[in-house]
Amino acid sequence: MWTSSRHWSPASTPASNCKLCRDANLVGVTCALIHDLLSPSNKGEVRQALLQHCLELNTAEIIFRALRSLAMDGLPALDPCAHPAYQVIAKLAAKDPKLAVKARLVGGVKLTHQLLQAHMKTTVPLLPLLMVTKYLAKNSTNQVVLGREGCVTTIVTILTSVPKTHHAKIKFIMEILALLTKATHVSPRLAATVRASGQRLQALLNCFFESNVIRVVRECGLQRVLAALDGWEKVERRHQGKLVRATLATLSHVCDSKHGRKCVVSLSGVEVLQRFIQTCPADRKFDSSLASATNVFLKCVSRGELPVASVRGAFTFHLPLHQREATAGGETHHETTSGMDVDSSDEEADDDEEEEGEDDGEDLDPTQSDLRGIDLTSDYCPERPRTEELIKLAPLFPEYNEFHVPVGTRFRNTLGPPIKGGGGDGWEDPEIYLEAADQTHSLVRFVKVAYPDLVGARGPVHLEQLYEKDRKVCRNKALGTVERVLHPEVYLERVVYDLDYLLKSELVSQNITQPISATRPLSNWDEKRIGKSDAGITHLNFESRFESGNLRRVIQASSTEYDLILNADVNSRHHHQWFYFEVSNMRSGIPYVFNIINNEKPNSEFNFGMKPVMFSVREAIEGRSCWERTGHDICYHKNHYARVPKDHHSQQDRHSGKRVGGGGTSKCYYTATFTVVFPHDYDVCYLAYHYPYTYTRLQSYLCNVESRDLGSDVFYSNQVLCHTLNGNPVPLLTITSREDVKDKEVVFLTSRVHPGESNSSWVLEGALELLLGKSQVAVRLRSSFIFKVVPMLNPEGVIHGK
């Protein structure tokens, strides 16, 4: 027996005796010795050294080779050594991440399955065989190999024959089934590739990847899986959590298939899931199981349509004639545009719900260049400069033309009458903002200017603490989702705000906002509404028809709970995240629940400490004009409303956005829910995803910079890069020092390529203040670089709250 790691050498390793051995008894004795050395009784550094040495020598691979050699004489020849050999492999498998691949290369995967078939009713070697099979099935290629070899049938047969009291074996069986049925998931990129290859390959791939689920259903394995979940309370506590998680994972993978969902429903699986959800302990270790059970439940139940007239946005933009002609000839109406323009927070999506950032084929070109002679579609080659085209861009580089800015390119000349106002820190004047707002073009007729934008509200100067999510709240929200499916009749379902109706109707007398003519300048009257209640109205009032606002419909679910639906992107059915709306007619001290029910992303920063922001007009009047984080009971979870995936290709009604063909979908919307207690009675408050930064604010800020005395050594120009399709100019700033520029490098800064990321505008404004300042850092930066800045790449998205 070895007592120290220094006694180990390759020649003295017991595993080396197995490599070419054809004696099953000797292999069994050697493996038993290794197992004893690696047992928990040998604690401390000695055991760790032995374990590390076995991994370095590829002991598990050597044992697999020895077993394969012995199996040439038939599987019965392995009886003396199978049990100790797989005990050793099971101990090494947890420490060797490459074991699954090594085993497949030496034939260990097929051999393990053959031994499972031979020992289905043998008690002794079955448990280590199941443990090793679990580790082997973690590899996606092995999942396919095992499925093709009939491992699903074998596992279901073992599950049927194993006594219900053998909880350890049932746990491993469920974990293996969860891994094998996971092969039904096809990555979005692979699915897109297959779609492009034709329908025949698509059908073949679907059959291939769904085979393991079909086998589970065909072999009547679902009955035992549901029975295991239904009897989870009888399982030993040490196995309870893992068994439940594995069982729910199996059901989740099965329910990803339409055929699997039908079978689960026909076997009363919905009732089993409902019982588990209602009896699930409040223990923290069961939180993930409750969430998984709720997700499986929502996959199985018949989900309702989103309560809107159309899933498309409430307003659209008609493409210019030359744009329509360009898209009319091909199949560009399908949602197959490039996935490059994906919101950065899409990376939060988990594997089961990952989606490509595909936009609708009718989505608009973000800008329409005034420099129409430039071909921006051809491939750029640095060795072949496009001299003629680059010369046309010369007006946008005044620093190379003795700092002369051509009159026709200046941003301020495109805004109509010049905006008045002095420089310095007092530029946030309401009159200045109102003048700028009248020069902002929008697709929908705004009825007001939001009060916090009018007064230039900012966030607090102090650091804000992250919200600590309450697991009990998330649990209650999950239970509430199930209750809404089972008992929808207890909710009011009363529409209190409908943007579609307001855009079509001229009955403005029913609106909470004052009527406005098409020629009347925008204004704000929130200060006059403070402290006044709306007679005869017992619900909150909402409004979002102002710049960057986004709210399409509000449905009152109870006296203090409201379901909110955001408006989709222009000419699209997707992209719901940013929200910005007004609330009034509230009572102080009452907790109001807001549920934003048509989010598409599987995860959100609301689950990681973020809170919405609120602005109170009464607080602003009293001298506290600042956005503040607000809300409690914040949670982000899946709900019971069905949605059409972005990669869905069934026939669509392009005018109504409703399905007119194709089968059902397993995709759901997600709910961002938070509770707000308003500080004052009958206040006017604004709630937003983040501190808003509007296009009008950018105009006001840039016009203020124009009026500043920046110093004789500072060169600053504000030119028009292009105009949007709706006629809004896109500014291009140039900042440098008035000295020789031929040796300076160019730094290019942009923000708001995704309009819902308003934080980038605040960061860029701070960067501009630094670059235009008089600090030594600013002087050095201007002397060393030329800064080209596009502060808002997507003005239309910002204006319309997208």
Side-chain angles (χ1 to χ4, degrees):
M1 185 68 64
W2 294 269
T3 57
S4 173
S5 60
R6 65 176 178 271
H7 293 129
W8 281 89
S9 67
S12 61
T13 304
S16 63
N17 297 330
C18 297
K19 193 169 186 178
L20 300 175
C21 182
R22 296 300 298 271
D23 188 337
N25 290 313
L26 179 58
V27 172
V29 172
T30 305
C31 289
L33 175 60
I34 298 174
H35 179 260
D36 290 340
L37 293 174
L38 297 177
S39 64
S41 59
N42 294 327
K43 296 181 179 180
E45 297 181 0
V46 174
R47 179 171 178 265
Q48 291 300 321
L50 298 177
L51 180 61
Q52 184 62 33
H53 201 62
C54 286
L55 294 174
E56 292 173 358
L57 295 174
N58 291 324
T59 302
E61 182 180 352
I62 293 173
I63 294 174
F64 271 127
R65 290 182 182 274
L67 295 177
R68 285 289 298 171
S69 178
L70 291 171
M72 295 175 64
D73 299 328
L75 289 180
L78 299 180
D79 290 345
C81 60
H83 183 233
Y86 274 86
Q87 281 183 313
V88 175
I89 296 173
K91 285 189 176 296
L92 298 176
K95 303 294 182 180
D96 188 355
K98 297 182 179 179
L99 177 63
V101 177
K102 295 176 183 176
R104 185 175 69 252
L105 294 178
V106 299
V109 175
K110 293 183 179 180
L111 176 62
T112 301
H113 176 240
Q114 291 170 356
L115 289 172
L116 268 178
Q117 289 178 313
H119 295 279
M120 285 191 294
K121 297 184 180 180
T122 307
T123 305
V124 177
L126 184 58
L127 185 58
L129 280 169
L130 290 171
M131 294 172 66
V132 174
T133 304
K134 168 193 167 183
Y135 288 109
L136 297 180
K138 289 184 177 181
N139 180 272
S140 58
T141 305
N142 288 353
Q143 293 168 6
V144 177
V145 172
L146 289 170
R148 190 171 58 238
E149 293 294 319
C151 186
V152 172
T153 304
T154 303
I155 294 297
V156 171
T157 304
I158 295 173
L159 179 61
T160 305
S161 61
V162 168
K164 295 182 179 180
T165 56
H166 290 195
H167 301 141
K169 294 177 183 176
I170 296 176
K171 178 192 70 174
F172 284 113
I173 290 171
M174 290 301 175
E175 290 175 335
I176 294 170
L177 283 177
L179 292 167
L180 293 180
T181 54
K182 188 178 180 180
T184 58
H185 175 69
V186 183
S187 71
R189 294 187 186 277
L190 179 58
T193 303
V194 172
R195 280 198 302 270
S197 303
Q199 295 182 353
R200 185 174 180 181
L201 184 56
Q202 169 81 51
L204 180 63
L205 185 70
N206 288 342
C207 178
F208 177 74
F209 277 99
E210 290 188 355
S211 58
N212 284 351
V213 168
I214 293 174
R215 290 184 181 111
V216 170
V217 175
R218 185 179 62 234
E219 299 297 332
C220 301
L222 274 182
Q223 289 90 327
R224 288 304 303 269
V225 173
L226 290 170
L229 180 62
D230 209 18
W232 69 274
E233 292 177 294
K234 300 178 183 178
V235 178
E236 295 179 34
R237 291 185 62 86
R238 57 177 179 155
H239 299 304
Q240 215 172 51
K242 289 185 177 180
L243 189 148
V244 169
R245 285 194 294 271
T247 303
L248 290 171
T250 302
L251 290 173
S252 179
H253 297 152
V254 169
C255 290
D256 285 336
S257 163
K258 183 177 180 180
H259 179 61
R261 287 196 298 273
K262 286 184 177 180
C263 292
V264 170
V265 173
S266 65
L267 294 172
S268 302
V270 175
E271 289 76 9
V272 173
L273 289 164
Q274 180 184 343
R275 284 195 293 270
F276 173 79
I277 292 171
Q278 292 173 342
T279 60
C280 185
D283 195 336
R284 182 183 297 272
K285 69 179 183 179
F286 282 95
D287 287 350
S288 61
S289 297
L290 178 62
S292 298
T294 305
N295 288 339
V296 178
F297 176 85
L298 292 175
K299 288 179 181 181
C300 294
V301 298
S302 177
R303 294 178 298 280
E305 298 285 339
L306 197 68
V308 288
S310 166
V311 293
R312 297 189 68 83
F315 47 87
T316 58
F317 179 79
H318 297 289
L319 287 167
L321 181 60
H322 68 279
Q323 292 280 354
R324 290 200 301 269
E325 292 174 350
T327 59
E331 296 297 327
T332 55
H333 290 295
H334 294 297
E335 299 174 53
T336 56
T337 56
S338 171
M340 294 177 64
D341 188 21
V342 182
D343 199 327
S344 59
S345 53
D346 275 339
E347 297 175 0
E348 302 166 2
D350 58 17
D351 291 337
D352 290 338
E353 297 288 345
E354 184 182 3
E355 292 186 13
E356 288 295 299
E358 298 172 344
D359 297 331
D360 281 350
E362 296 181 356
D363 283 358
L364 303 180
D365 215 353
T367 59
Q368 182 180 3
S369 176
D370 290 338
L371 306 169
R372 294 180 175 83
I374 301 177
D375 181 11
L376 300 177
T377 60
S378 61
D379 294 334
Y380 172 68
C381 179
E383 289 76 19
R384 294 186 291 103
R386 299 170 297 176
T387 307
E388 298 81 3
E389 295 178 352
L390 293 176
I391 288 176
K392 296 176 183 179
L393 292 173
L396 299 179
F397 293 85
E399 66 275 15
Y400 296 113
N401 188 24
E402 299 180 352
F403 303 102
H404 172 68
V405 181
V407 176
T409 66
R410 293 177 182 176
F411 183 83
R412 64 184 178 187
N413 293 339
T414 67
L415 299 178
I419 298 176
K420 303 175 183 179
D425 295 331
W427 69 270
E428 292 166 347
D429 187 328
E431 293 300 323
I432 298 176
Y433 191 91
L434 288 174
E435 290 182 34
D438 290 334
Q439 299 169 11
T440 298
H441 302 279
S442 61
L443 297 180
V444 60
R445 189 177 67 182
F446 294 143
V447 299
K448 65 183 298 186
V449 170
Y451 192 88
D453 302 329
L454 186 66
V455 299
R458 298 172 176 266
V461 296
H462 59 272
L463 294 177
E464 300 168 306
Q465 291 186 344
L466 292 175
Y467 174 75
E468 186 174 351
K469 187 171 68 173
D470 189 343
R471 47 174 294 272
K472 294 181 179 179
V473 171
C474 296
R475 172 187 172 85
N476 292 334
K477 296 295 183 182
L479 295 174
T481 301
V482 175
E483 286 299 315
R484 293 196 73 159
V485 174
L486 299 175
H487 305 289
E489 67 279 357
V490 302
Y491 296 90
L492 291 178
E493 302 294 336
R494 174 186 175 189
V495 178
V496 298
Y497 179 80
D498 191 347
L499 179 62
D500 297 79
Y501 170 79
L502 294 175
L503 293 179
K504 295 178 181 178
S505 175
E506 296 297 327
L507 302 178
V508 293
S509 59
Q510 298 183 15
N511 303 342
I512 63 167
T513 52
Q514 295 182 7
I516 184 169
S517 66
T519 58
R520 180 180 174 183
L522 292 173
S523 60
N524 183 280
W525 49 91
D526 288 347
E527 293 184 2
K528 298 179 181 179
R529 297 166 54 200
I530 297 299
K532 298 178 181 179
S533 64
D534 289 339
I537 297 179
T538 59
H539 56 77
L540 294 178
N541 285 328
F542 295 84
E543 183 58 89
S544 69
R545 288 174 295 165
F546 45 79
E547 187 175 352
S548 293
N550 190 341
L551 186 61
R552 183 174 185 180
R553 206 175 206 209
V554 180
I555 302 172
Q556 186 179 19
S558 69
S559 59
T560 58
E561 184 172 2
Y562 296 83
D563 292 341
L564 282 61
I565 301 175
L566 304 180
N567 193 22
D569 205 347
V570 178
N571 292 13
S572 173
R573 296 186 297 270
H574 303 290
H575 313 303
H576 314 94
Q577 177 172 296
W578 169 264
F579 60 86
Y580 182 20
F581 57 89
E582 171 203 301
V583 185
S584 60
N585 204 42
M586 73 285 290
R587 299 300 302 270
S588 63
I590 297 177
Y592 292 95
V593 181
F594 298 93
N595 305 315
I596 300 174
I597 63 174
N598 64 330
N599 294 282
E600 294 178 313
K601 296 184 178 181
N603 215 335
S604 168
E605 291 299 324
F606 284 125
N607 277 335
F608 302 96
M610 190 176 81
K611 302 169 71 174
V613 296
M614 184 180 76
F615 181 92
S616 166
V617 175
R618 180 179 287 277
E619 291 285 312
I621 294 174
E622 296 176 357
R624 296 178 291 276
S625 181
C626 182
W627 286 96
E628 292 185 351
R629 297 284 175 182
T630 189
H632 60 276
D633 292 358
I634 301 172
C635 188
Y636 190 90
H637 61 89
K638 185 181 289 188
N639 62 38
H640 61 289
Y641 291 111
R643 67 182 175 93
V644 178
K646 294 179 184 177
D647 57 355
H648 186 69
H649 286 270
S650 65
Q651 186 181 2
Q652 300 284 336
D653 180 353
R654 293 198 167 273
H655 298 289
S656 68
K658 290 190 176 182
R659 296 278 308 280
V660 294
T665 172
S666 61
K667 298 295 183 181
C668 289
Y669 284 107
Y670 291 79
T671 295
T673 177
F674 50 89
T675 302
V676 176
V677 178
F678 296 102
H680 306 287
D681 284 337
Y682 307 116
D683 194 1
V684 178
C685 295
Y686 292 81
L687 293 170
Y689 183 82
H690 189 69
Y691 309 118
Y693 194 107
T694 63
Y695 176 72
T696 299
R697 179 187 175 92
L698 176 65
Q699 290 187 68
S700 304
Y701 173 75
L702 295 180
C703 289
N704 165 264
V705 173
E706 292 273 358
S707 64
R708 293 186 193 178
D709 181 12
L710 299 176
S712 59
D713 63 319
V714 179
F715 174 74
Y716 166 83
S717 71
N718 181 4
Q719 298 173 275
V720 177
L721 175 65
C722 59
H723 282 79
T724 68
L725 287 176
N726 204 36
N728 290 296
V730 180
L732 169 66
L733 314 180
T734 303
I735 302 173
T736 188
S737 59
R738 292 183 178 272
E739 56 190 39
D740 191 8
V741 298
K742 65 179 182 179
D743 295 328
K744 291 183 180 180
E745 295 184 354
V746 177
V747 177
F748 188 53
L749 303 177
T750 68
S751 72
R752 303 301 282 275
V753 63
H754 300 127
E757 297 171 352
S758 61
N759 47 335
S760 63
S761 286
W762 293 104
V763 172
L764 192 59
E765 183 180 302
L768 292 176
E769 287 296 306
L770 170 66
L771 294 175
L772 296 171
K774 299 180 180 180
S775 66
Q776 304 243 343
V777 173
V779 172
R780 288 200 303 270
L781 287 172
R782 293 192 297 265
S783 299
S784 304
F785 302 99
I786 300 170
F787 290 91
K788 292 287 184 179
V789 185
V790 183
M792 194 167 285
L793 276 169
N794 191 344
E796 296 294 345
V798 173
I799 292 169
H800 299 107
K802 305 307 175 189

